[in-house]
Every structure is written in structure tokens, then in C-alpha cells.
Amino acid sequence: MITSTRASCEDLLIWYDRHARVLPWRVAPADRQAGIRPDPYHVWLSEIMLQQTTVATVKAYFLKFVRLWPRVEDLACAPREDVLAEWAGLGYYARARNLHACAQMVADQYRGAFPDTEEELLKLPGIGPYTAAAIAAIAFDRPAAVMDGNVERVMSRVFAVETPLPEAKPELRRLTGLMTPDQRPGDYAQAVMDLGATLCTPTKPACGICPWQVPCDARAAGIADTLPRKKPKAVKPIRKGFAWVAVNHEEQVWVLRRPDKGLLGGMLAVPTSDWSDDPDPSPPFQADWHERGEVRHTFTHFHLRLSVNVARVSDDRRDMRPLGDVTKEMPTVFAKVLRLVAT
């Protein structure tokens, strides 16, 4: 590995001042320098939503949440079921449960004001090292080392780190810390993320217009587009399951809420079997069940194939919801099931 010491924070910030992305949770560089501070609630909310999710997807969810719950106290007072319903489709649903718990803790124990240090932020539900550093830097201008996937990629190229991920993470984190300036650390953190998102992209990086093209060791060595190195991904296993959709004469569907612990915890769903190599095919109650088709969905660690079974029921069971409306409140996999039934 070549050890570059020539990359300039000033050069990157000059680029950022001209080319910063316009994002609904962000305060523009010129406004920050004029004394306008980011809302820590907005920074926290966006960072939680952005975990494992793209900016394009998060924008609409962020705007919806701040419209429904303008302050962290408003989110804390909202019924958890409402928060989970509005989160539906965003994925990684433990984030939504922790989001609500964190809002309540900030409202109750911190009187609605987010703590401004990484140490205190780490005490809050759903906030890990990356998120704590991001909030501390962006919301409070603390010189915290913020390292997401974009920053990993930029640092691996600037310093030509050829060790594959995830083994390279400690070294990349060390380099990120060394590069983090005391002046404008919040803007710097966002500048590196913007650089990775717009120029130093995973494929075909735009080295010719990069503000760090000269000090970039990977570009000098002609290996920029090969970094960061990654170990081959393991093949995802396939799990199977059965979904049971009971519909009454009013086109209402029987729904339940999944247990808090486990995948899709706390979310609205239709009854299913276990998801495994050999799932239990027993329906939740006796009825004239008919197989409608198969739904396929991919989670982080496995592919799922659900056999969808439908029955018409005449009795009014509890928790019957209009089929068209309830789809909007469900995780994507169950929305797919109900769309299949509705066809």
C-alpha cells in the first residue's frame, strides 16, 4: 500500500462548496458558513433511513415523516403502529422500532435535544458508531470520523488500500480519522460522501474531474476502478414458506402483527408458516384454501419463495382490513402477496 499524505481537505471543501448535493435534510455549505445550523432531528432521521437504503428512496420517506411529525417530540408521542405503517416499504424494520424508541428517549431523558457527542449518542437505541459519528459531525460540527460505504471507497482509492473488505475496515477507519479536519468537519464528512456518490463511484470513477485526482494513489497506480477489493459473496440460501390470505365478502383481508423479535418484527402481515427448507404447510385454521401462486422476495441473507394460499371466509374475524388499503402498511414481501391475490 502506498501511503499518500498529499490529499487536501481544503481542495475537497472548495469542490463541495460548488457541487454539494441538494438534499431535503441538508443545510447548504453557504448557509452553514452564514451561521445556519442543521436540525439534529433531521440529521438523525435521515441517517437512520439511509442505512442500507439509497438517497433516492429515502427522500420521499423523510419528507413524509417530517410532515407528519415535525419535531422529535411529535414522533415520540405517535403510536408505534403508525410509525411502523409509515415506514412500510423502507425495509430493515428494526430501524423503525429503534427510531420510535430513540425518539421517546430523546424526548423524555434529553428534553427533546439530541446529545452532541459520540459517547452520548451511542447510548441511544439504534445508533451505532457510524451514525453517532455522522450526527456529531454533521449536526454539531464535532471532528468525528464518519465512514460509510462511500467514504470507504474514497479512502481505499486515495491511499491505495488493496486489503479486501471487510478486513480493510480498521485501516480505512484509521485513515478516515487522520483525514478528518478540526475546521468544518461536518461539511468535510458530507463532502467525502458526496465525492463517493457522484464522482468516485463503484464503476467508472470520474477521475478526470475529481478534486483529489492528483494525490490519489490508486489513480496513479492505474487501479482506482478495482478498489475497494472485496471477498467473493457467499451464495444466498433459498428458504420456502406458505402464506395464508383469508378474504371476506367485503374484500377485507385477515391481518396480524408479527412478534417484535425476529425478521420484520412488529410489522403488519398475513399469517405465514416458518421460513425454512421444510416449512410446516398447516394453515392457521380450516377453510377451503386454494393455491394462488408463488411470491419471490430477497432479504439480506436469503431468498424467499412463498406459496400463496387464499380462502374465502364468511365469518367476521378480528383484524380484517380492506385489502387495497392494508397493502400500503405492510413490508414489501407481504405487499407482493396481497397484490398477487388482488389480480
Side-chain angles (χ1 to χ4, degrees):
M1 182 187 76
I2 304 170
T3 305
S4 172
T5 58
R6 297 173 296 161
S8 163
C9 297
E10 289 76 11
D11 289 342
L12 183 63
L13 286 168
I14 290 171
W15 171 85
Y16 178 70
D17 288 343
R18 296 173 180 170
H19 302 288
R21 289 180 293 176
V22 177
L23 301 172
W25 49 84
R26 178 180 284 181
V27 172
D31 291 335
R32 284 181 67 112
Q33 292 180 65
I36 300 174
R37 310 307 302 165
D39 185 335
Y41 172 54
H42 290 181
V43 175
W44 162 73
L45 182 60
S46 65
E47 288 298 336
I48 298 298
M49 289 183 167
L50 285 165
Q51 294 170 9
Q52 305 294 324
T53 310
T54 64
V55 167
T57 299
V58 164
K59 285 181 181 178
Y61 280 89
F62 173 84
L63 292 171
K64 178 176 62 175
F65 266 66
V66 295
R67 183 178 68 251
L68 291 171
W69 304 297
R71 304 174 307 147
V72 69
E73 294 91 340
D74 301 321
L75 182 59
C77 292
R80 193 181 75 155
E81 290 73 17
D82 291 353
V83 176
L84 293 175
E86 296 301 336
W87 190 276
L90 199 52
Y92 299 91
Y93 294 97
R95 292 183 299 167
R97 299 193 301 275
N98 286 329
L99 185 86
H100 191 245
C102 184
Q104 291 182 323
M105 190 169 175
V106 171
D108 295 341
Q109 298 185 25
Y110 293 87
R111 299 182 179 180
F114 278 85
D116 61 359
T117 66
E118 291 178 83
E119 293 75 18
E120 284 296 312
L121 287 162
L122 283 168
K123 297 177 183 179
L124 299 175
I127 294 184
Y130 162 75
T131 307
I135 297 171
I138 297 169
F140 301 108
D141 249 353
R142 300 283 189 182
V146 183
M147 191 178 79
D148 68 351
N150 285 316
V151 178
E152 283 183 349
R153 186 167 56 257
V154 171
M155 291 298 153
S156 71
R157 290 172 176 174
V158 169
F159 292 94
V161 178
E162 298 187 56
T163 304
L165 292 170
E167 285 80 0
K169 283 181 179 289
E171 175 64 8
L172 294 174
R173 190 172 293 110
R174 184 186 71 83
L175 294 169
T176 300
L178 288 175
M179 289 294 297
T180 300
D182 292 328
Q183 299 297 317
R184 297 181 65 188
D187 280 346
Y188 170 79
Q190 294 174 105
V192 183
M193 289 189 276
D194 277 14
L195 185 67
T198 61
L199 299 185
C200 197
T201 49
T203 60
K204 298 181 180 179
C207 298
I209 56 174
C210 176
W212 276 351
Q213 60 172 288
V214 173
C216 180
D217 288 340
R219 177 178 181 270
I223 58 172
D225 60 353
T226 72
L227 299 179
R229 304 271 164 80
K230 297 180 181 180
K231 286 187 173 181
K233 291 184 178 180
V235 177
K236 291 183 180 181
I238 296 174
R239 298 181 187 173
K240 300 176 184 179
F242 297 89
W244 311 98
V245 184
V247 185
N248 67 14
H249 65 284
E250 295 180 353
E251 295 302 311
Q252 295 176 318
V253 61
W254 182 38
V255 298
L256 49 77
R257 198 165 290 280
R258 291 173 67 87
D260 279 353
K261 291 186 178 180
L263 190 61
L264 308 180
M267 297 302 294
L268 209 59
V270 296
T272 73
S273 67
D274 59 309
W275 298 346
S276 63
D277 293 334
D278 186 23
D280 182 357
S282 304
F285 59 87
Q286 292 301 313
D288 187 15
W289 295 100
H290 297 278
E291 185 175 359
R292 177 58 64 88
E294 183 181 76
V295 161
R296 298 188 177 191
H297 188 75
T298 296
F299 292 97
T300 305
H301 300 298
F302 66 95
H303 301 291
L304 177 64
R305 294 181 180 177
L306 273 181
S307 172
V308 179
N309 299 269
V310 182
R312 286 284 173 177
V313 295
S314 56
D315 58 324
D316 290 329
R317 293 179 171 273
R318 291 193 308 168
D319 295 324
M320 299 293 287
R321 302 278 195 93
L323 193 153
D325 294 341
V326 76
T327 303
K328 302 173 185 177
E329 300 181 30
M330 289 184 162
T332 302
V333 61
F334 296 120
K336 288 180 180 179
V337 168
L338 294 189
R339 283 196 291 267
L340 176 65
V341 171
T343 56

